[in-house]
Amino acid sequence: MENAMKRIRILTTQNQIDEASAILYQVYIKRMNWVFSKDNPSQIRIETRNNTKVLVDRFEKTSTWFGVFENTKMIACIRACGVDSNNKLEVESYEGSKSIL
């Protein structure tokens, strides 16, 4: 069986970013059972948007988000958060249940 082509696109709408944030929730909270401190400087929190749980933080609106798509389904995401206080680029990536490379 032939693998479907995967494409990377910049996420430009709030709905796309919410879909990526839902991947974060599935990976970190559901699959890895991650428990984060409620009092955290990144303001990491779980929200419900469009009846779907999403994992968000204070960088959500200022990040540049990218989605990896298999046909029309987003299967992974990555975001560039910009430079930190040490002038270093912070990049975070999150993958779905299967490797994309």
Side-chain angles (χ1 to χ4, degrees), residues 13-74:
T13 68
Q14 188 60 50
N15 284 342
Q16 291 172 327
I17 292 169
D18 288 348
E19 187 177 350
S21 296
I23 290 174
L24 305 184
Y25 176 81
Q26 289 299 318
V27 170
Y28 282 102
I29 305 303
K30 296 299 281 183
R31 187 176 316 146
M32 296 173 56
N33 296 313
W34 184 50
V35 177
F36 57 90
S37 171
K38 300 288 185 203
D39 179 28
N40 60 75
S42 295
Q43 300 169 11
I44 297 169
R45 63 198 178 279
I46 297 168
E47 293 183 1
T48 301
R49 298 181 183 168
N50 299 319
N51 297 317
T52 302
K53 292 196 182 230
V54 297
L55 187 63
V56 297
D57 62 21
R58 69 185 179 100
F59 303 107
E60 176 191 14
K61 301 280 187 206
T62 59
S63 298
T64 301
W65 291 78
F66 302 88
V68 178
F69 292 81
E70 187 172 73
N71 299 315
T72 59
K73 179 177 171 46
M74 187 184 313

